[in-house]
Amino acid sequence: MKLNAEGLRDRDGWAAAGVVLPDYDPVRLAEKTKQSPLWVHFGIGNIFRIFLGRIVDRLISGGEMDRGITCVEAFDFDVVDQIYTPHDNLTLAVTLHGDGHRDLRVLGSLTEAVKARPDDRADWERLREIFSEPGLQMVSFTITEKGYALRGADGEFLTFVRADMENGPERPTGAMGIVTSLLYERFLAGGFPLALVSMDNVSRNGEKLQEAVQEIARVWTENGRTEKAFLEYVQDAARVSFPWTMIDKITPRPSPSVADALTKAGVEDMEIRVTSKNTYVAPFVNAEAPEYLVVEDSFPNGHPPLERAGVYMTDRETVNRSERMKVTVCLNPIHTALCTYERLLGYDLFAEGMNDPQLRELARQIGYVEGLPVVEDPGILSPQAFLDELMQVRFPNSYLGDTSARIAVDISQMLGIRFGETMRAYVLRDGSAACLTAIPLAIAGWIRYLLGVDDRGEAFELSPDPLLPWLQKQLESVRFGEPGSLAGQLQPILSNENIFGLDLYAAGLGEKIEEMVRQQLTGPGAVRDR
């Protein structure tokens, strides 16, 4: 059986393999969506495919929607060539339950895959057509935190952003420049309303998207590359809105065990691939069952009936509280804290680390002891219950196969959100965050991890991170087994507000973290002893 439009004709074969097929025609759906696109999404990786793709699949199956999602990739174009095109944009969604059983379903809701490359004339013209459609309601994003960044750690525009600012809307290369350019097309076509919806794990994600788009539009206007009326268009919430969201579904890399099981069941071409941008992809996506999506109901051109597929449509403050609950207290800080220590202690799977008494206690301290006291209850979700589910059900789910190396990717881009918000809350409340212990220990573990030497003294490969060259330059004189080699090198890191969102020395934590790192440098076993 092949995962493509022709292969779906073998319904008996798919049923024998335990795979549920769409009860609608994906080909006809794709045709209708191309004629009248409703929803565009940037960043068409795994969580998008299995979460947002499944939401729309439910709505289509229930007769609530008659169009799918137009999929756009602005970074890793291999995803389109290797995963979408060969399989007619179909996805095999694999839900991994804690007791080991799996639910398998083919999703036909992802209807068109387009590369956002101005130098690819056909695809670029197609995007211009899509954004000129009056009925287009929303453009959503899962492009990770770094996708919204315009400036580096030094506060200056990144090189490609500077080029986008100078070149104007004709030849953008970065995601934010591309989106702003396409918004300009929509403005020229009639200034139709639209919602731009970040669904990344970033607190106040809509605000970050808004600031990036509006800053590019402002510079273009100042440079005479676009009209002043365009800047007014993107600044008018009645025409262009930037709803805030909270999204949550643990979606690890494709699992080799899932690929093997599907192959044995008779599904062809299920191999896992690694793209030129080091993205792990497969024709299937595996993820846990729990999922949450909270969206600010601010859509000037309307929106699909998301609430009928379990999405919480609410106000901005509720979204913000939900996001802070998850990203700054319950889920992401624990992921970030444990993944580096797991690398240092030799664990590959995140769930393995959760079975380590010391790491589990660190997780408990970060969440229950230091996080919950300063997080606001969003009302629609209980922080205590949310954290309980994570600690008791979700984190220990070994069948997810989520690796500490994956979680550690781009970790420097996340510290300001995942730890900075809680530290700042203590500073605002007490004048200092010096009472904290677990969060400083997590930051110390990250710095110790940056040496690329585990607790036995053996080298290991660090996960990709855009700040690694700068960070390792600061630490180049620090030596494993030589705690005395640490003498002032951490000051540029721990005082960097672009990394943490605040100066950790001013917050009363800099010296504490330095001492924790020093203790973890004494030799083999020092991390475990700490």
Side-chain angles (χ1 to χ4, degrees), residues 177-381:
I178 287 169
V179 171
T180 310
S181 174
L182 292 170
L183 272 179
Y184 184 56
E185 288 294 330
R186 191 166 183 81
F187 164 75
L188 295 176
F192 307 117
L194 188 67
L196 272 61
V197 191
S198 170
M199 294 184 178
D200 276 297
N201 291 326
V202 187
S203 290
R204 307 169 71 94
N205 50 16
E207 182 178 74
K208 290 175 171 55
L209 173 59
Q210 179 179 13
E211 289 174 347
V213 168
Q214 291 183 351
E215 182 162 15
I216 292 173
R218 177 184 58 77
V219 173
W220 284 353
T221 299
E222 291 175 352
N223 293 343
R225 305 309 299 267
T226 55
E227 301 90 329
K228 181 181 178 182
F230 171 60
L231 178 60
E232 295 171 348
Y233 169 66
V234 298
Q235 291 177 336
D236 183 357
R239 291 188 287 173
V240 179
S241 68
F242 299 85
W244 296 12
T245 70
M246 185 278 272
I247 188 170
D248 178 26
K249 186 177 182 73
I250 297 175
T251 308
R253 289 173 176 171
S255 167
S257 66
V258 173
D260 291 343
L262 292 171
T263 300
K264 289 177 182 178
V267 186
E268 301 177 39
D269 302 326
M270 288 293 107
E271 294 84 4
I272 298 169
R273 301 164 176 83
V274 182
T275 71
S276 60
K277 296 293 180 65
N278 203 39
T279 304
Y280 286 72
V281 291
F284 64 90
V285 182
N286 45 245
E288 64 175 347
E291 57 189 23
Y292 301 89
L293 180 56
V294 185
V295 179
E296 178 188 0
D297 195 353
S298 177
F299 290 77
N301 207 26
H303 62 77
L306 302 175
E307 64 280 0
R308 297 177 190 171
V311 177
Y312 296 90
M313 302 298 294
T314 184
D315 59 86
R316 175 171 293 188
E317 185 56 34
T318 301
V319 173
N320 191 37
R321 290 175 179 173
S322 300
E323 181 67 21
R324 286 174 59 85
M325 175 197 74
K326 178 214 165 200
V327 172
T328 72
V329 172
C330 294
L331 194 159
N332 299 93
I334 294 173
H335 258 172
T336 299
L338 265 62
C339 71
T340 53
Y341 278 113
E342 288 181 344
R343 298 300 309 280
L344 292 169
L345 297 176
Y347 294 118
D348 292 325
L349 299 181
F350 184 81
E352 292 175 338
M354 280 300 295
N355 291 322
D356 182 302
Q358 286 179 296
L359 293 183
R360 189 173 180 86
E361 176 60 17
L362 176 60
R364 190 190 71 81
Q365 291 279 340
I366 287 174
Y368 290 101
V369 177
E370 297 185 351
L372 286 185
V374 293
V375 71
E376 292 184 88
D377 189 333
I380 59 173
L381 299 168

Side-chain angles (χ1 to χ4, degrees), residues 34-62:
K34 289 178 182 178
Q35 293 170 1
S36 182
L38 188 75
W39 179 351
V40 170
H41 185 88
F42 279 78
I44 54 178
N46 292 330
I47 190 171
F48 159 70
R49 293 163 65 199
I50 198 168
F51 193 177
L52 303 184
R54 183 71 179 101
I55 285 174
V56 175
D57 176 77
R58 292 191 192 105
L59 292 172
I60 295 168
S61 292

Side-chain angles (χ1 to χ4, degrees), residues 63-139:
E64 304 285 355
M65 281 186 70
D66 60 0
R67 279 161 289 176
I69 306 178
T70 302
C71 311
V72 180
E73 183 55 49
F75 174 69
D76 195 340
F77 304 119
D78 288 349
V79 174
V80 175
D81 294 333
Q82 296 181 15
I83 298 302
Y84 281 79
T85 301
H87 300 282
D88 294 331
N89 303 324
L90 297 171
T91 289
L92 179 48
V94 181
T95 302
L96 305 170
H97 296 275
D99 61 3
H101 86 275
R102 298 165 177 164
D103 295 327
L104 311 175
R105 183 180 184 90
V106 171
L107 307 179
S109 54
L110 310 180
T111 54
E112 182 180 10
V114 186
K115 300 175 185 178
R117 296 174 57 177
D119 59 350
D120 186 325
R121 176 167 295 184
D123 275 18
W124 189 247
E125 286 302 315
R126 176 61 185 145
L127 284 173
R128 294 175 65 185
E129 291 175 2
I130 291 168
F131 271 75
S132 297
E133 282 289 329
L136 183 65
Q137 294 182 330
M138 61 184 290
V139 179

